[in-house]
Amino acid sequence: MTLRSLVLGTLVFLLVAAMAPTLPVWLVSLATIALANALVVLGLIILWRAGLVPFGQALFYAVGAYSVALITRYTSLRDVLVLIAAGAVLSCFTAFLAGFLLARYREIFFAMLSLAMSMILYGVLVKTETLGSTDGFGVEPPTYIGYAPQGRMHLLMLFWLVLAFCAVAALLVSLYFRSVAGALAVPVRDSEIRLEFLGISVNRLIHLNLVIAGTLAGIGGALAALSIEHVDPNMSYWTTSGGFVFVMVLAGAGSVAAAFVGSFVFELLKSIAYDILPGTWQMFLGAALLLTILFLPEGIGSLFARLRRRRQRQSMSATP
Amino acid sequence: MGVAVVLTAFAIVTDGLVYAAYLFLVAVGLTLIFGVMKILNVTHGSFYAFGAYGAAIAVGVYFDRGLPAAGGFLLMVLVAMAIGLVLGLILERGLLRLVYGKDEVVVVLVTYAAFLILEDVIQLIWGANSYALYQPLGVVGNVDVGPLVLSGYDIGLVAFAGLLAVAASFALKHTRWGRLLTVVIFDRELAAAFGINVSLVYTITFVIGAMLGALGGATMAPKIAVTLGIGVEVIVLAFAVVAIGGMGSVEGAFLGALIVGECRAAAVHLAPQIELFVIYAVMALVLVLRPQGLFTRAQPRKI
């Protein structure tokens, strides 16, 4: 990460945080959900760099969401950081355990096994009364170190919290991409055998990536549960995972920022499509996905890169 | 006591067979397409749904006219084939052709996008109503086995699935076209080098797979409420069956369907709360023990 993108990121963060109180309520709640989901997408980008696409990332998302929901249902703990920490730890642990199996698989088999795992959780959630069964259950509003905001302030506090989590995650993930382990992801995708000959355990590397992605998905799920104030088994269904993969393709694996922009664009597209074309919003989304794959295979993130390259080329041709 | 146990066991076996027949019908097209084209086809759920809607309406109208029953079942198959032909050609020629050679996962996403679009096409064509095709079950009637009542249609379904399995397996191994397919399954480039028109093989395979998917939907239409979203669940079920059996293997799909069908039937009768869980638990277990599924040939390690 260059100093320039760090400064730029901080500026954007401060600007968005300062603007939030002036924005309409619908936009703030849409952005809250979009940013929470962006954390999951960020995890998917980490895996995609190593050539892996899980069709069951909703497993960790649901673990995070249900941890928060169950704690508010069965205990009197309400502090927001405690709730999210519980979601993060549990999803991290789930990913650590699942990783022992998943890390041995690649390509379509990896996608299928992770799908199976998330569907197991779905089967358990749907059939277990104490976990809310098919309808799920509500999530109590959290407190912020003893402060329990009301009405509009409640919405804003949550938005700032999600924004802060996203900023920290974006920073840490960019640092990770710069680290040795993070940089090795691309060679994993290109040629595993070469890496193995260098004495690097590809499975352990992938296991690490899985744990990071799973934890991010868990935090995203925890934040989403607080924002929607409800959890239900659909959070672990394959269509939820499919939605995350959709956003990842839309965003592209080019950069960390793309995950947030992509997720926001997706939520915006979804709600616009839902408003204008209530009967055919899925068709609209499907068409958007198709067009992205066909004409923008590197995602929205590649647009920035393309612009930058063009500007460089122009400045080069300007100075003979 | 003893009689009750035997009855339960019998019920589990028969229910399992019926469910296995259904699973095989929806999985065989998927595994065929994967075997030949290496595409994990999410639109298979749409083929299923289109088949179910098409049969529910066409066959319902047919029976309402009071025409001979046998023709109704023939019509069911013909409707499925027509739908598979049209949808399969549109998707393969219009869309998949553009993305051949791209990453497997990208192609999955393309079919996922097509699936989303087709879900709404279904809604545009048939609306949000639910359709019921009740006549075929009544025409066939029931068979009494002691105190248990078996639906004649279910027995027919099991027989049909069995026949289809034998026919598909025979066609792949002993007919000219089947052997050409098998060659393409083994090695696409070598097949092309020996003068097989791979592009044509792809089109035909995809259309046949689409027909089989639609046939699965058409034959299930009398047993379910044909409504929006029936394709969504079918996809994951078919994936599970195909993953258990080994992707691309008809025998594998057959065995996978049997295993999943019997396990689910046992769960329904003995421990209903794990009914959904058990299917995917079996899938995960098989993948853990045999990562490529039960029926797969050895893959050379390519560098």
Side-chain angles (χ1 to χ4, degrees), chain A residues 48 51-53 55 101 104-105 107-109 111-113 115-117 119-124 126-128 189 191-193 196-197 237-243 245-246 248-249 277-290 293-295 297, chain B residues 34 40 42 95 98-99 102-106 108-121 123-124 231-236 239-240 242-243 247 272-277 280-293 301-303:
Chain A
W48 175 236
L52 299 170
V53 177
F55 263 84
L101 281 176
R104 291 167 26 204
Y105 294 79
E107 296 170 1
I108 219 85
F109 300 99
M112 301 276 273
L113 187 60
L115 174 78
M117 287 181 170
M119 289 304 290
I120 289 177
L121 180 67
Y122 176 76
V124 172
V126 163
K127 290 283 175 179
T128 313
R189 183 182 187 162
S191 170
E192 279 191 24
I193 294 174
E196 294 278 359
F197 283 174
Y237 202 55
W238 76 268
T239 45
T240 308
S241 304
V245 176
F246 185 129
M248 185 199 76
V249 173
L277 318 153
T280 51
W281 63 279
Q282 289 196 88
M283 186 181 277
F284 184 75
L285 287 185
L289 180 61
L290 269 186
I293 293 175
L294 290 178
F295 298 109
Chain B
F34 185 84
L40 191 59
V42 182
L95 185 61
L98 304 174
V99 292
K102 290 205 181 187
D103 198 88
E104 266 179 30
V105 176
V106 173
V108 174
L109 288 172
V110 168
T111 63
Y112 176 62
F115 167 75
L116 287 178
I117 295 173
L118 286 174
E119 280 289 283
D120 277 349
V121 171
Q123 195 181 346
L124 287 179
V232 182
E233 197 199 339
V234 165
I235 298 168
V236 267
F239 278 5
V242 169
M247 319 250 288
Q273 64 276 17
I274 64 163
E275 174 203 338
L276 270 171
F277 166 89
Y280 302 102
V282 169
M283 172 181 173
L285 188 71
V286 170
L287 284 178
V288 167
L289 298 176
R290 281 187 67 93
Q292 319 260 306
R301 195 179 184 193
K302 284 183 184 164
I303 298 181

Side-chain angles (χ1 to χ4, degrees), chain B residues 16-256:
Chain B
L17 277 179
V18 173
Y19 198 64
Y22 155 67
L23 289 173
F24 179 73
L25 285 173
V26 294
V28 64
L30 190 74
T31 204
L32 188 70
I33 289 177
F34 185 84
V36 176
M37 308 166 79
K38 304 286 174 280
I39 290 176
L40 191 59
N41 181 25
V42 182
T43 39
H44 208 68
S46 314
F47 299 153
Y48 174 87
F50 268 89
Y53 272 100
I57 287 164
V59 180
V61 169
Y62 179 90
F63 273 105
D64 283 344
R65 295 273 163 85
L67 297 164
F73 295 103
L74 186 66
L75 182 66
M76 206 183 250
V77 176
L78 290 179
V79 165
M81 290 178 76
I83 286 174
L85 181 71
V86 174
L87 277 184
L89 275 181
I90 292 176
L91 277 172
E92 204 274 340
R93 286 287 89 192
L95 185 61
L96 290 176
R97 197 173 50 83
L98 304 174
V99 292
Y100 285 147
K102 290 205 181 187
D103 198 88
E104 266 179 30
V105 176
V106 173
V107 183
V108 174
L109 288 172
V110 168
T111 63
Y112 176 62
F115 167 75
L116 287 178
I117 295 173
L118 286 174
E119 280 289 283
D120 277 349
V121 171
I122 289 174
Q123 195 181 346
L124 287 179
I125 298 179
W126 288 292
N129 300 330
S130 172
Y131 295 84
L133 179 62
Y134 54 89
Q135 297 95 331
L137 287 184
V139 168
V140 181
N142 293 326
V143 182
D144 293 337
V145 182
L148 292 173
V149 182
L150 297 182
S151 152
Y153 190 82
D154 285 349
I155 297 175
L157 203 63
V158 172
F160 181 65
L163 271 179
L164 191 67
V166 173
S169 177
F170 178 84
L172 276 178
K173 293 200 173 72
H174 298 287
T175 64
R176 185 184 144 74
W177 257 103
R179 285 181 176 168
L180 289 181
L181 271 191
T182 315
V183 174
V184 178
I185 290 175
F186 266 77
D187 196 322
R188 185 196 157 179
E189 283 175 12
L190 211 57
F194 275 96
I196 295 177
N197 185 345
V198 173
S199 148
L200 184 66
V201 168
Y202 273 23
T203 309
I204 291 177
T205 308
F206 197 80
V207 167
I208 293 177
M211 284 177 175
L212 288 169
L215 192 62
T219 50
M220 281 312 284
K223 290 172 60 68
I224 56 173
V226 180
T227 183
L228 287 177
I230 51 173
V232 182
E233 197 199 339
V234 165
I235 298 168
V236 267
L237 278 177
F239 278 5
V241 169
V242 169
I244 288 172
M247 319 250 288
S249 156
V250 172
E251 292 86 354
F254 186 73
L255 193 66

Side-chain angles (χ1 to χ4, degrees), chain A residues 115-151:
Chain A
L115 174 78
M117 287 181 170
S118 75
M119 289 304 290
I120 289 177
L121 180 67
Y122 176 76
V124 172
L125 292 178
V126 163
K127 290 283 175 179
T128 313
E129 280 300 323
T130 43
L131 294 176
S133 196
T134 29
D135 295 336
F137 52 89
V139 179
E140 300 284 324
T143 60
Y144 300 78
I145 324 176
Y147 167 55
Q150 298 298 319

